[in-house]
Each structure stands twice: as structure tokens, then as C-alpha cells.
Amino acid sequence: MNMGTLATRTAFQQCHDARCLLTCGSNLSITPIDVSKGHLCVAMPGGQELPSLGTVYDELELQVQGRSYPLKRMRVRQIREVKGQAHLVLACDGCADTEEQLWQLSYQLRVVEPTPSSEISYDEFTLPKVPARGLYSEEARQERLAFVREETGANLSEVACTRLEPRKLVSNIEALIGSVEIPVGLAGPLHIKGRHAGGLYYAPMATSEGALVASATRGATALSRAGGVQARVLGQRMMRVPLFCFDGMQQAMFFADWVQDHYSELASEVRKYSNFAQLVEVQAQVMGRNVHVHFIYETGDAAGQNMTTTCTWQACQWILRQIQRFDGLKVRNFMVEANLSNDKKVTYQTFLKGRGVRVMAEARLSDEICQKVLKVSAAQLVSAYQNFVTGSLAAGMVGLNINVANVVAAMFTALGQDIACVHESALGQLHIELTAEGDAYCTMTLPSLVIGTVGGGTNLPQQRECLEVLDCAGPGKAHKLAEIIAGFCLALDISTLSAIAADQFARAHERLGRNRPVNYLKLGDLNAEFFREACQLSDLRPLAAEAIKFESKGSSIITELTSHKVNKLLGHFPFKLDTQQGEVAVMAKVKPLDDEAIIMLSSMAAMCDARLAQSFTQFRNELGFKGCHVRELAVMSQQDPRFTRNAPKVYGVVADAEREAYVIVEELLQGLTLMDSADDTSGWQREHLEAAITGIAEVHSIWYGREDELKAQDWLVDYPTAAGMSAKTRLWELLGAHAREEFPEWFSEDDLNVFRSIVAGVGDWWADIEAMPRTLIHNDFNPRNIALRESAAGLRLCAYDWELATLHLPQHDLAELLCFTLQTPEDNREVEYYLELHRKTLEQHSGQAIDPEQWRYGYKLALRDLLINRLPMYLMAHTFRHYPFMERVYRTSRRLLELEGVRLS
């Protein structure tokens, strides 16, 4: 069978004395990094112009330990940056001689031992030793820190910061230098109905794996709403299995009978050395002339590995003394453990007989709960489980579970358990079947949960606090902890399995496919040269650029959320530029591609509902996000004074498709009024709203009534139409259903019915929208993205983050602003004032008469559009990232609709 061949990369070491000479017009000395049978990686000297991908070098000579390797026709396959240095990956371009030379070179590096200039060896005097061994004091810790810093060059400033007191860690660690902090999230609540655990429980989970806590919480929600989890401890056992070796099988068999017959004496001996360990069984297993003696214990609230080792060793000393009475029964060898206790290992013995606490959790999920919370039917969940059964059997797994190890590892770390025991403790058996009533009956069995609530890491201060969250700190709580862990293991498994069944798992991990290497923009690229080339919309010519610390305001939701999924430079980066005119503070806004933002939103939809994800994917390029990365650059480059008066000053933009770099260089917004005030809009008074409305009306006047011209712009590739909105009816319905499911406390069933009735007529009322004059609108016009400047003429609008700008009614921006800023108006008077202000200002700056009745009708339609489109999108994001303004904005929008005759509860 051809298993394929992986090219092994071998790095050049100092002892190889490797040098490389590149002939490219002149001889250039470069540094070889690593080599394989098909490539050579080299580091280019600083300041050297880099070749383009595909460049072929005809002459290259590599010298290793005095031997020359001529390499011809080496093609540049990849360029990457490593610690600020450019590395070229050169691939053989079909030259047979070069292929042979690379094989010879690989052989010399991998097989032939280099001859070092001096042999290095260590003895008991020269081998370095970690200082202050066995000392538990702050002075000893500092001495060790100084030692490791000198030996390795590592700073360890973060590791050195610890609140732990060295003197209290005698039994926990040796050679202490500091501590490592791990984020702790709170999963739950989970309703557990156990013999030892009863009620709602929130599980502390220490992890750096994103989505783990959220997924466990989703599973816990489903289980709790389905009636909770029944949990029972089935037993507890801890083993130590010493080995006795004899001269022959007869002596071994005799010893096996004798030792099992002396269980009572051994139990008495054990009681002398532990208050927790109770010897419950002794089993002798003969293997040839060797006897493995299974000492099986119950250890109460301690995990028991260490105490059972001590007790077993003492019991074995008693055995060795007692059998001296038998002539000829000589123990040739004795070991307190020979790996048959399965300590920290997954084995079938552990699976069948158990080790630690054996615990089971049980729940029944109705089809309704499955569909509402897990977004799959009960039948789909069971079908997915059955597919996992066949896969697990084919892989030869011990037990069957989806990802129990995630919960066990996260809770063990937070709760001070022996983390190495995660291996055996994560052994689990998930079982799901479909009942006659169409429900999913689920059980989770953990046969070897090695846990304790006393001793070990449970005495560490932070771990003890996490145990207290579960009321599991101290004696008498181990079985309670076992039932809780089993419940959360079941919760995570059904959540993950349902995500896979609904295709959410794959969608959540979707990535943008590229068929070429990309030299992404890096923070180091944002230098004076970059800003000189970028600032083409001004006379700014920076001489130097320095990154500054600044609390970024007004970050767009799209850029913020996408940056968590894309491994490239995205976001807002403030700089101080030294120019001939003096210092200028700017913000470089580095934008994601439209496809990157769409993938992020698609994965969000996938985690909400499989049907929603499918519909979202169908229309993913028709939801206003396509082209958003180039759209904002074009909008912000406008030089019409009606725009520039009401937006940040823009010094320039960069659109580099080759590097996927789309950047806006604009003024650093400082000292503005009501900036980033969406969460608390109490400061928005009439004067502020007047300034915002008159400012956006000026902007609206630029393109007002010029719909055909706007559609012809190459940067506006997607805008809403009546036909498109009608085609997406199913998507709007699913977004409304999701809002109802996730936020029933303020999105009622009556709200959903009204929502559906508005969606049902979307084709008709959107046709009315298309018949009205439209313009370029901001389309995200709210206090997240706008602020006010003080000017000689009074307050003036400053609107930023124009990535969602589109062709729509100008009233849409007004409606959104009022939804965010009005405090549940009692009547129409305030709304009518702002409507008229907007209309009259737009008339003034556009030179066009606007019919008041049609204007008011357009506002009503804009509110409807917000309700079925923008607000549900916000609510989808609100499912994963809490936005404090969300409930207030929805309630105000509902009130504004009621004032327009649309009755909601």
C-alpha cells in the first residue's frame, strides 16, 4: 500500500558551517535555513529587494562542512516573514542534477554525523543545577528565576507574577518559579437531579479553546429545559497493583492463594497509614512465575493515587515479612507497580471495571426541545450518533463519546484536580436512542473519573474558590462533583453532536479558500513609507511613524467579529506621524475582505439554526456585505464638502488586492461629543439629534434622486431591491423565529406574528420603496458609528464606518437613529419634529421639493425594513456577543412602529 511520502525538513545547525551564494547579476550571500528532498529555505539579508513568486534562479551554490552542492533552476515557491526576516522557499524546477544534489545534501545532514569543533560533555560538576532545591520561600523562587533567565535569556515577567505563597506549595510543586494564568469561563446553568447533586449548577471551566463554554451552555440549556439530568454514582475504586516475582509457577500459584486468604490482615495494615483509604478487595493474577496483586480501595473524597501507593507499599512490606516463614518461597523481585493499575491510561480494564468514581447521567430530550435549542430534530440527533458508533468501532476506540475530554480537562484545571488524569477520566460511553414517542433518550457513563475534593490542588486558593461555586469544596463532596461533571459531559456531547448533525460544525470552521500564498499586511509594514504612499488625498508626507496607545472608539461590529476568525492584521491602529507641518495623529483602519466578513456571519448563522444557515448561505452575497471592503474606501474618498464636513478627515486609502490589504488612513478621532455612546444614550438631547439629522441630510443630498448614477458605481455591487427582498422571505422569517426563540422575554409570540405579517407583504411595500427617491445612506447610522464635533457654528456630525453604505431611502438612517436614541416616545410629536427637520434640510441642500406625506410614508416603510432586516441581524450577533443596547433599541423600534399604526404587544 502506498502510504505517501512526507518531505522531511532538516534544519542547518551551526556545526554544519553552511553557506549559500546566489548568482543573480551579482553574487549575493544568503543564509540557509532548512532543506528537504525538494526544497531549500534561505533567509535574505535585510534591505535586499525580494523576488516575485515564480522567479527562477539558474545558479546557486551551497557549501556544507566544506563540501559544495551546486543547485540549478531553483524556483521561488513561497515568501514568508519569520521574526522580521524574509525567508524564501526555493523548489527544484525539474532539474535532475539539482534533485540529486538535494538528496545528497539531505543524506549528509540526516545520516552523516557532523564533526564538531569541540566535544561537549557534562559530569556531576559541570551539569547546571536548578538552585535552591527543596526550599519553599520567596527568596528561593527569585533565585531560581534569576537562574533560568541567565540560562535561557527568557524574560518571564508574566510567569514571575504570582499570588501563590511558596511555603504553602510544599506538596504541590518543586522548584517553583511562578504560575501560568488560564481563562476561566462559566458554563450553565444545568439542572441536575442526582443523589448527591440537586439543583442548578454553573461549571467553572479553565480553557483557551473558544466556543467550548458556549457549546456546553447550549447543551445545558437543552437538558435543563427538557426536565434536567438524572445522575448517579455507581461506585468508586482506586487500584495499586504490585508485582511479586518467584522461581516458578508453583510458588507463584501458592503465593496467590495465600495473599488472597490474608485480606483481613492486609486491610488492618492499610488502616494504620490512611484515614481515607479503605481496602475493599485483594485479587491475585498469576502470569507465569509472576503475581500481580490487585489492591482495590475506596478513597472517600480524595482521588487517592498517592495514598494508595503509600498504603500498598506498607502492606507489601508486611507480606514480604510474613512469607519468610515458608522455606523455598523466595521473592526474586518486587515492584510496587508494574503498570497493571492503568494509572493515567485508557484501557479496557478501566472501562469495564472502573477506576476512580464510576458515574452515569441520563436525560430525555423531546423533539421540540431538540429543534428549538439544538436546531436539529431528535431523529437527526440519533442518526448522527449511530454514524458515530460505526466510526468509533472502525477506529477501535475504547468507549464512545464526542468530546468529553474538553469538559474534563477544563473542569479539572479549574477545580484543582490531577490534570494528568484527564487521559483516563475522559473515558466515556455516550448512548442515544429514539423512543417510541420520538424523543432522544441519552446517557453518559464515565467509568473512571479520578477526582477529589480534598488534598492536592484542591487546596490552592483559586481552585478552591471554583470548587465553592459548585459547593464541592472539602470532605463529603466527591460524589456530588462526579455527578456534576457527568452532567456537563453529557451537555457538551449532545451540543457538539447536534452541531455536526446540523452541519454547524463545518460551517463554524469555514475558511476562505485561496489558491496562492498571500503576503499579508503586517503591523511592521505600517511605517513612514507606507503612510507616505497611502496619504494621496492630502498633502501629508510623513517623515516618521510611531504606533501610539489609544483606546479605540467606534470600531465596526463586522471588523471586530471578523478579526476573531481571520489570522491577519485587522482593526484600528493609531499612529503619530511626524510631518513637515508637525505631528499628526491618525488611525489606520485595516479592513477584512467581504468574503471574510460573510464567512464570519455564515458561521454565526450556522450556530443559530441549520435552516437559517442554509437560507443565509443561499443569499450570502445579497445581504449588503458583498464589496464592503472596497465600498467604504470609495465612500470615504468622496471630496464633496457636504460629505467631508460630516465625516472624519481622510488622508488616503490603500487598495492592494495582491496583499488583500484595504486600509483607510483617517484622523484619529479625539475629544468628540457622545462618541461610542450606543450603550447609554441618555446624553442624546434635542441639540445633538438636530446636529446629527441636519448633517446626515447634507450627505443624503449628494446622491438624492440619482439612483441610476449610484447603481453604475463599480463599488456598489449589492443593494436591496423589491425582488431581492421578496426572494429572501424565508430568511427574514427564520431570523424572526430565531429572535423569538433566543429572546422570548422581550420578543413575544405576538411580536413574531406581526413580524411575519410584515414579511409576508415585503414584495408589495418594498415596491413602494423602489418607487420613491433614494440616495446613498450610511445604513448603520447609530451612536456606535457617529459622534459630534464642536465647531464655530455649533455641533456638527461626524459619521464613520461606512462599510454598509447602500442605496436606500434617506429616512432609513433617520429611523435607525431614532430607534437608538429616543427613550420610548409617548406620542408622535417628537418624531414628527425630527422628520420635518430631516425633510426640510434635505430639500435645502438637494434643491428638490419633497412631498411631506410621501416622506412620512417612506419613514414608515423604513421602520418596517429595519424590523425585518437590520434588527434581526443585530439579534443574531447578540446571541454570541452581548450588546447592552439591544433590548432598548428593539423596544423603541417597536414603539415607533406602534405610533405608525403597526400594533405590537
Side-chain angles (χ1 to χ4, degrees):
M1 183 183 295
N2 180 13
M3 299 300 292
T5 303
L6 293 175
T8 303
R9 296 168 54 182
T10 306
F12 291 100
Q13 305 295 333
Q14 186 175 1
C15 60
H16 293 137
D17 190 25
R19 287 170 287 180
C20 192
L21 196 65
L22 177 64
T23 302
C24 52
S26 60
N27 291 336
L28 178 65
S29 180
I30 54 180
T31 304
I33 303 298
D34 59 52
V35 68
S36 76
K37 66 175 186 177
H39 93 282
L40 172 68
C41 180
V42 297
M44 297 292 284
Q48 181 68 34
E49 182 177 355
L50 297 179
S52 58
L53 292 176
T55 299
V56 176
Y57 292 112
D58 290 320
E59 297 290 339
L60 188 150
E61 183 179 2
L62 184 64
Q63 289 191 350
V64 178
Q65 294 181 317
R67 180 175 173 180
S68 179
Y69 295 87
L71 305 175
K72 299 180 179 180
R73 295 201 58 77
M74 297 293 287
R75 177 173 48 83
V76 179
R77 188 176 69 190
Q78 186 179 1
I79 302 174
R80 58 188 182 218
E81 183 175 326
V82 180
K83 296 182 178 179
Q85 190 176 39
H87 285 193
L88 306 186
V89 179
L90 306 175
C92 178
D93 196 38
C95 177
D97 290 341
T98 297
E99 289 179 357
E100 176 62 25
Q101 290 294 317
L102 288 173
W103 272 115
Q104 289 289 341
L105 181 58
S106 295
Y107 176 77
Q108 182 174 356
L109 296 183
R110 294 168 58 188
V111 180
V112 179
E113 290 292 333
T115 304
S117 56
S118 61
E119 188 70 32
I120 300 175
S121 63
Y122 298 100
D123 58 22
E124 66 268 29
F125 302 107
T126 59
L127 182 67
K129 294 181 180 179
V130 177
R133 290 185 179 180
L135 297 181
Y136 288 83
S137 65
E138 181 60 21
E139 294 77 12
R141 186 175 81 90
Q142 293 299 332
E143 184 179 352
R144 287 188 286 269
L145 277 168
F147 168 81
V148 71
R149 284 166 175 155
E150 183 177 351
E151 286 287 313
T152 67
N155 182 269
L156 295 178
S157 58
E158 295 296 325
V159 171
C161 294
T162 181
R163 295 171 54 245
L164 299 173
E165 298 181 40
R167 62 184 180 83
K168 294 183 178 181
L169 302 176
V170 174
S171 300
N172 296 108
I173 199 168
E174 298 76 38
L176 175 73
I177 62 169
S179 58
V180 174
E181 191 170 8
I182 302 174
V184 176
L186 196 65
L190 175 60
H191 185 197
I192 298 178
K193 298 184 285 188
R195 185 160 293 162
H196 304 277
L200 288 177
Y201 290 91
Y202 299 86
M205 294 188 180
T207 181
S208 57
E209 181 179 347
L212 168 59
V213 174
S215 185
T217 296
R218 183 173 81 142
T221 300
L223 293 172
S224 298
R225 288 173 59 177
V229 177
Q230 297 282 345
R232 294 291 186 273
V233 170
L234 306 178
Q236 184 206 38
R237 52 187 269 147
M238 182 54 62
M239 294 189 299
R240 194 57 66 195
V241 187
L243 172 69
F244 296 85
C245 302
F246 297 91
D247 289 330
M249 183 175 66
Q250 294 296 331
Q251 292 91 336
M253 293 178 68
F254 173 83
F255 173 76
D257 290 339
W258 179 88
V259 74
Q260 290 180 135
D261 194 55
H262 286 74
Y263 158 76
S264 298
E265 293 87 338
L266 291 169
S268 298
E269 197 68 20
V270 164
R271 283 193 290 270
K272 296 177 183 179
Y273 299 99
S274 174
N275 294 325
F276 292 97
Q278 179 182 353
L279 185 65
V280 296
E281 190 176 355
V282 175
Q283 295 178 351
Q285 184 175 353
V286 179
M287 301 178 70
R289 60 180 182 178
N290 300 329
V291 182
H292 296 265
V293 182
H294 296 247
F295 282 72
I296 301 170
Y297 298 88
E298 290 181 355
T299 58
D301 290 295
Q305 297 100 308
N306 294 332
M307 74 168 65
T308 55
T309 300
T310 300
C311 292
T312 302
W313 189 86
Q314 293 292 350
C316 288
Q317 299 309 302
W318 180 87
I319 291 172
L320 292 172
R321 291 194 299 270
Q322 295 300 314
I323 63 173
Q324 290 176 7
R325 297 178 297 174
F326 300 99
D327 293 337
L329 189 62
K330 185 173 181 60
V331 177
R332 296 298 181 186
N333 192 15
F334 158 72
M335 297 170 62
V336 76
E337 177 59 57
N339 219 23
L340 197 53
S341 70
N342 315 143
D343 195 356
K344 300 177 175 69
K345 300 165 190 72
V346 169
T347 68
Y348 271 109
Q349 174 177 274
T350 300
F351 180 70
L352 296 172
K353 294 186 176 181
R355 175 180 156 83
V357 179
R358 189 179 191 93
V359 60
M360 180 183 290
E362 171 194 68
R364 181 186 289 257
L365 292 166
S366 68
D367 186 61
E368 180 184 6
I369 290 296
C370 286
Q371 295 201 41
K372 282 188 174 182
V373 183
L374 301 177
K375 313 305 180 184
V376 294
S377 67
Q380 283 178 292
L381 188 65
V382 174
S383 176
Y385 169 76
Q386 290 168 342
N387 290 330
F388 264 73
V389 171
T390 58
S392 301
L393 288 172
M397 288 185 186
V398 180
L400 188 166
N401 65 81
I402 313 302
N403 53 351
V404 161
N406 277 317
V407 166
V408 174
M411 293 189 70
F412 270 35
T413 305
L415 302 176
Q417 306 302 301
D418 186 341
I419 297 176
C421 288
V422 168
H423 186 50
E424 60 186 312
S425 297
L427 182 58
Q429 179 65 39
L430 174 68
H431 176 74
I432 307 179
E433 63 184 72
L434 196 65
T435 68
E437 296 79 16
D439 299 338
Y441 171 77
C442 314
T443 65
M444 172 64 73
T445 303
L446 302 178
S448 53
L449 198 56
V450 181
I451 57 171
T453 56
V454 297
T458 65
N459 292 322
L460 296 174
Q462 294 177 343
Q463 285 80 345
R464 187 170 184 84
E465 287 183 357
C466 288
L467 282 167
E468 289 170 353
V469 170
L470 299 169
D471 188 29
C472 286
K477 302 295 178 68
H479 287 186
K480 179 178 185 178
L481 179 58
E483 292 180 350
I484 294 171
I485 292 175
F488 276 97
C489 284
L490 180 59
L492 181 64
D493 262 24
I494 64 166
S495 178
T496 306
L497 184 62
S498 64
I500 296 170
D503 199 27
Q504 298 167 359
F505 188 82
R507 293 177 187 275
H509 293 83
E510 185 179 9
R511 292 290 183 268
L512 185 65
R514 294 179 173 88
N515 56 9
R516 60 180 176 85
V518 178
N519 181 22
Y520 294 123
L521 191 69
K522 302 169 185 64
L523 191 59
D525 294 331
L526 302 183
N527 51 29
E529 181 182 358
F530 171 87
F531 285 108
R532 277 196 298 273
E533 294 180 3
C535 296
Q536 299 303 314
L537 296 177
S538 70
D539 57 358
L540 208 61
R541 296 296 178 265
L543 305 173
E546 178 186 350
I548 58 177
K549 290 185 176 180
F550 184 79
E551 183 180 352
S552 177
K553 298 276 188 177
S555 60
S556 81
I557 290 178
I558 290 177
T559 299
E560 175 194 359
L561 294 177
T562 307
S563 66
H564 298 310
K565 288 186 70 70
V566 179
N567 188 24
K568 59 192 277 193
L569 189 72
L570 295 176
H572 295 69
F573 302 93
F575 279 83
K576 179 183 71 176
L577 304 183
D578 290 331
T579 72
Q580 291 180 342
Q581 296 93 335
E583 290 185 355
V584 178
V586 302
M587 181 73 81
K589 180 180 180 181
V590 185
K591 298 182 57 58
L593 297 181
D594 53 359
D595 284 343
E596 290 168 341
I598 290 169
I599 286 173
M600 176 274 297
L601 292 164
S602 295
S603 67
M604 196 179 292
M607 293 302 293
C608 292
D609 185 284
R611 297 163 300 174
L612 176 58
Q614 184 178 12
S615 187
F616 194 98
T617 300
Q618 179 183 356
F619 297 108
R620 60 192 295 171
N621 293 327
E622 303 171 31
L623 294 170
F625 304 104
K626 194 65 180 174
C628 62
H629 60 302
V630 294
R631 187 186 318 161
E632 185 173 17
L633 270 63
V635 172
M636 294 296 284
S637 297
Q638 293 181 105
Q639 297 301 303
D640 190 303
R642 289 171 290 181
F643 179 82
T644 57
R645 279 196 299 265
N646 294 287
K649 179 175 178 58
V650 177
Y651 299 103
V653 299
V654 173
D656 187 342
E658 186 70 22
R659 300 189 69 181
E660 296 183 3
Y662 295 87
V663 187
I664 300 172
V665 181
E666 60 187 38
E667 65 171 304
L668 181 62
L669 297 177
Q670 304 178 76
L672 272 63
T673 299
L674 295 174
M675 188 171 182
D676 199 27
S677 58
D679 292 346
D680 180 7
T681 55
S682 59
W684 281 82
Q685 304 302 315
R686 172 168 287 201
E687 60 175 325
H688 305 112
L689 286 167
E690 288 173 343
I693 292 167
T694 55
I696 197 63
E698 278 193 69
V699 177
H700 289 158
S701 70
I702 299 172
W703 292 95
Y704 187 65
R706 298 166 57 193
E707 294 88 353
D708 290 339
E709 291 179 65
L710 193 54
K711 292 175 186 178
Q713 303 301 310
D714 58 4
W715 45 265
L716 189 62
V717 296
D718 174 32
Y719 50 87
T721 65
M725 292 294 292
S726 182
K728 301 182 191 75
T729 297
R730 177 64 172 162
L731 175 61
W732 310 137
E733 289 177 346
L734 290 168
L735 283 167
H738 171 73
R740 166 63 183 146
E741 177 62 31
E742 291 293 330
F743 309 106
E745 61 274 20
W746 40 273
F747 196 101
S748 69
E749 192 66 31
D750 287 343
D751 289 353
L752 180 59
N753 290 333
V754 172
F755 181 95
R756 285 171 171 162
S757 68
I758 293 175
V759 168
V762 65
D764 295 332
W765 56 263
W766 238 97
D768 291 344
I769 289 178
E770 276 193 314
M772 296 180 183
R774 285 166 292 154
T775 186
L776 181 72
I777 69 165
H778 186 285
N779 201 31
D780 205 8
F781 194 67
N782 62 68
R784 279 188 59 86
N785 305 310
I786 65 173
L788 301 168
R789 300 181 191 271
E790 296 283 352
S791 70
L795 293 172
R796 176 164 291 283
L797 172 67
C798 180
Y800 41 92
D801 285 345
W802 287 79
E803 58 205 349
L804 295 181
T806 193
L807 171 64
H808 210 301
L809 294 175
Q811 297 96 312
H812 192 282
D813 280 343
L814 173 65
E816 183 168 4
L817 177 64
L818 297 183
C819 287
F820 270 80
T821 56
L822 292 189
Q823 306 295 320
T824 317
E826 292 295 325
D827 54 45
N828 262 331
R829 285 175 296 179
E830 191 174 14
V831 174
E832 288 170 353
Y833 171 77
Y834 293 125
L835 268 171
E836 276 300 285
L837 176 63
H838 190 199
R839 183 183 69 83
K840 290 178 179 178
T841 308
L842 182 55
E843 274 188 335
Q844 174 189 344
H845 288 281
S846 67
Q848 300 181 44
I850 302 173
D851 179 67
E853 289 189 13
Q854 186 188 58
W855 180 258
R856 182 58 180 264
Y857 180 52
Y859 163 75
K860 181 176 181 177
L861 297 181
L863 279 175
R864 291 186 178 189
D865 188 70
L866 276 170
L867 178 71
I868 71 165
N869 185 351
R870 291 300 311 288
L871 287 178
M873 289 285 190
Y874 261 126
L875 287 168
M876 185 174 74
H878 186 58
T879 307
F880 303 95
R881 186 193 187 285
H882 179 71
Y883 294 107
F885 59 79
M886 197 62 252
E887 181 178 354
R888 184 196 75 242
V889 169
Y890 175 70
R891 292 191 186 281
T892 301
S893 67
R894 191 172 65 176
R895 177 57 181 157
L896 291 175
L897 277 164
E898 289 174 348
L899 291 175
E900 298 304 314
V902 179
R903 174 58 55 187
L904 289 93
S905 63

